[in-house]
Amino acid sequence: MRLTRRAFGSKKMVSLFTLGTMRAIKSIDQMYMVVKEAYLTGINHIETAPSYGPAEVLIGNAIKKLDKKGLCPKEKWIITSKILPGITYREGKKQIKEMLRTLGTDKIDNLAIHGLNISDHLTWATEGEGAKLLNWSQKEGFVNQIGFSSHGSKLLIQHAIETKKFDFCSLHVHLLNQTNLPLAKLALKNGMGVMAISPADKGGHLHSPSKQLISDCWPIEPLELAYRFLIAQEITTLTVGASNSEDFNIPKKLINSFSPLTDLEQNCIKRLFSQSYFRLGKTFCGECRKCLPCPEEVPIPEILKLRNLYVGHGLKSFAQERYNLIGRAGHWWEEINAESCNNCGDCLPRCPNNLNIPELLADTHVKLLEKPKRRLWG
Ligand code: SF4
Ligand code: SF4
């Protein structure tokens, strides 16, 4: 079977799905099984990071063993790893050499800045020590192309794309969270590769959908519909953060599914959103951001987006996880939750939907607040 590949930046062609390795770090056997399943699925692209604990050393080991059995993609494995922004030139050189050593290779295809989340990170990568480091890594032949992942503001991501210094980016772009879709399109227009970060997990815990979501998407599985939506939007590749062989069931089915959305898929998506608008009624937040700035710096659209997802789509576990991460994840997420609203009313006349924002913030807080859970990454 001829496998579909898409250009990821200016260098190699990658599969529609990418193996994300953050959830396969329990043992050598688990990583081996997951990399082998990725190969059998038709995946040729692996995404990892030194911050994923032993992932790189386990990948190096798995690739070596599979190679001995002749199980290797035709184009060889394409590897994307990452480096945290803000480190010194000297430390960065050490980290890149260590990364290559643990992966058991003398070169990787793609190096991403891991979490280009604030403007200092962009300055670091384009003018500061980071720029020097990234140049060095390419000149020495250790890295083919440079990109970034970001959880930052739309404006920051837009600036990063417009520097034209990056060949690819990893973004939160999802069926149920399309805020970054215009940025993904901008990156694609600029010739960059775009990787969607974990549609199964970060796209709304679609690995364990609610009955409500299943019924809204019926007869297509919510995760399958989300994958198909992103593929049809020409997002280059979607990460599958696999921990077991079942995680490849849908990617196996869709590995060559590059065609536009079918009538059935379009109808399911229409119903999914119309049901959500119906449930939210007059409390729907359009995320237009016109209510900002808030004197207490409450991130109103981000908080009400979580309410939209919970009330509109039944994404309880996802909305709770994100809400309870506020203030606990540094520059990776928001710092202030709904409790900081002092009911001043400044935002009220600015909302085109006439929402009672303080009341909805309080409602979100009551619905979503819970004890914090351990966070993986991003
Ligand atoms: S102005 Fe209203 S609709 Fe727009 S983001 Fe703010 S709360 Fe939501
Ligand atoms: S009412 Fe609350 S959310 Fe609105 S501007 Fe005042 S503090 Fe901010």
Side-chain angles (χ1 to χ4, degrees):
M1 179 176 64
R2 190 179 162 80
L3 291 162
T4 302
R5 303 291 190 227
R6 281 180 169 166
F8 192 61
S10 56
K11 301 287 187 224
K12 304 255 178 88
M13 306 289 282
V14 301
S15 41
L16 293 184
F17 292 89
T18 288
L19 173 64
T21 52
M22 185 173 65
R23 292 172 198 277
I25 55 174
K26 279 193 194 142
S27 66
I28 288 184
D29 290 345
Q30 186 191 29
M31 184 64 81
Y32 176 79
M33 179 276 292
V34 158
V35 177
K36 186 176 168 191
E37 278 299 321
Y39 164 78
L40 295 173
T41 302
I43 289 173
N44 70 346
H45 185 203
I46 298 178
E47 176 273 329
T48 188
S51 339
Y52 298 171
E56 290 182 326
V57 74
L58 298 178
I59 293 166
N61 181 288
I63 288 178
K64 216 167 162 183
K65 272 197 216 158
L66 288 167
D67 258 355
K68 281 188 188 155
K69 296 183 179 177
L71 303 179
C72 175
K74 212 167 87 195
E75 322 80 340
K76 304 282 178 203
W77 289 105
I78 296 166
I79 294 182
T80 295
S81 192
K82 309 193 192 83
I83 193 147
L84 289 165
I87 52 173
T88 63
Y89 176 57
R90 196 184 155 130
E91 177 59 23
K93 280 166 79 171
K94 211 168 108 192
Q95 286 189 17
I96 290 171
K97 285 181 180 169
E98 179 62 11
M99 175 190 293
L100 297 173
R101 191 189 67 73
T102 50
L103 281 164
T105 180
D106 50 13
K107 180 174 197 161
I108 57 166
D109 299 279
N110 309 312
L111 181 69
I113 295 152
H114 195 171
L116 195 148
N117 296 340
I118 54 174
S119 59
D120 282 357
H121 294 161
L122 183 57
T123 309
W124 174 84
T126 53
E127 299 166 26
E129 292 265 291
K132 201 168 140 192
L133 174 67
L134 300 171
N135 275 338
W136 168 84
S137 69
Q138 287 185 295
K139 265 196 185 150
E140 292 293 319
F142 293 144
V143 169
N144 263 337
Q145 55 179 14
I146 304 290
F148 66 88
S149 65
S150 181
H151 300 238
S153 70
K154 280 171 84 171
L155 200 60
L156 177 72
I157 296 172
Q158 185 184 332
H159 284 162
I161 293 168
E162 286 171 350
T163 62
K164 298 194 186 296
K165 295 198 182 230
F166 302 103
D167 294 296
F168 67 95
C169 57
S170 302
L171 298 177
H172 280 287
V173 51
H174 303 295
L175 171 63
L176 298 178
N177 180 5
Q178 297 181 25
T179 312
N180 285 339
L181 191 56
L183 292 168
K185 300 249 174 186
L186 178 70
L188 291 167
K189 201 171 144 205
N190 278 276
M192 293 170 68
V194 177
M195 182 153 58
I197 301 172
S198 184
D201 190 62
K202 302 297 188 283
H205 288 185
L206 303 185
H207 41 62
S208 43
S210 64
K211 279 186 187 157
Q212 181 180 310
L213 193 63
I214 293 170
S215 144
D216 288 353
C217 296
W218 190 86
I220 305 175
E221 272 186 58
L223 180 56
E224 179 174 338
L225 194 60
Y227 282 151
R228 280 285 299 135
F229 171 79
L230 293 170
I231 293 170
Q233 295 293 325
E234 303 198 346
I235 302 302
T236 321
T237 186
L238 324 177
T239 62
V240 181
S243 62
N244 59 60
S245 56
E246 284 77 46
D247 292 330
F248 294 94
N249 290 348
I250 303 176
K252 274 180 184 153
K253 189 172 161 190
L254 301 183
I255 192 74
N256 272 338
S257 69
F258 55 91
S259 56
L261 291 174
T262 62
D263 287 349
L264 175 65
E265 288 166 338
Q266 289 182 39
N267 287 337
C268 289
I269 290 172
K270 264 189 216 150
R271 190 179 60 230
L272 173 65
F273 288 107
S274 66
Q275 288 293 89
S276 163
Y277 295 141
F278 175 73
R279 290 184 193 110
L280 285 157
K282 289 187 176 162
T283 68
F284 169 72
C285 165
E287 296 167 42
C288 65
R289 313 188 73 78
K290 288 185 181 152
C291 46
L292 300 177
C294 158
E296 300 303 318
E297 298 186 18
V298 176
I300 304 166
E302 283 72 21
I303 293 176
L304 295 191
K305 176 195 284 187
L306 296 179
R307 188 179 180 281
N308 280 355
L309 291 172
Y310 176 35
V311 177
H313 295 297
L315 301 188
K316 187 176 179 185
S317 67
F318 177 75
Q320 281 187 328
E321 182 184 275
R322 299 305 293 171
Y323 188 73
N324 290 284
L325 261 182
I326 294 178
R328 298 173 191 276
H331 56 70
W332 293 88
W333 180 225
E334 300 299 337
E335 298 277 0
I336 294 170
N337 76 13
E339 260 186 327
S340 295
C341 171
N342 64 9
N343 222 335
C344 73
D346 284 9
C347 55
L348 294 172
R350 296 195 288 256
C351 177
N353 292 9
N354 292 319
L355 297 183
N356 186 333
I357 295 171
E359 204 173 87
L360 292 177
L361 288 173
D363 177 61
T364 311
H365 190 73
V366 169
K367 281 184 163 70
L368 299 183
L369 189 71
E370 62 169 10
K371 283 187 182 169
K373 286 179 186 160
R374 192 177 78 85
R375 173 172 179 256
L376 277 170
W377 194 266

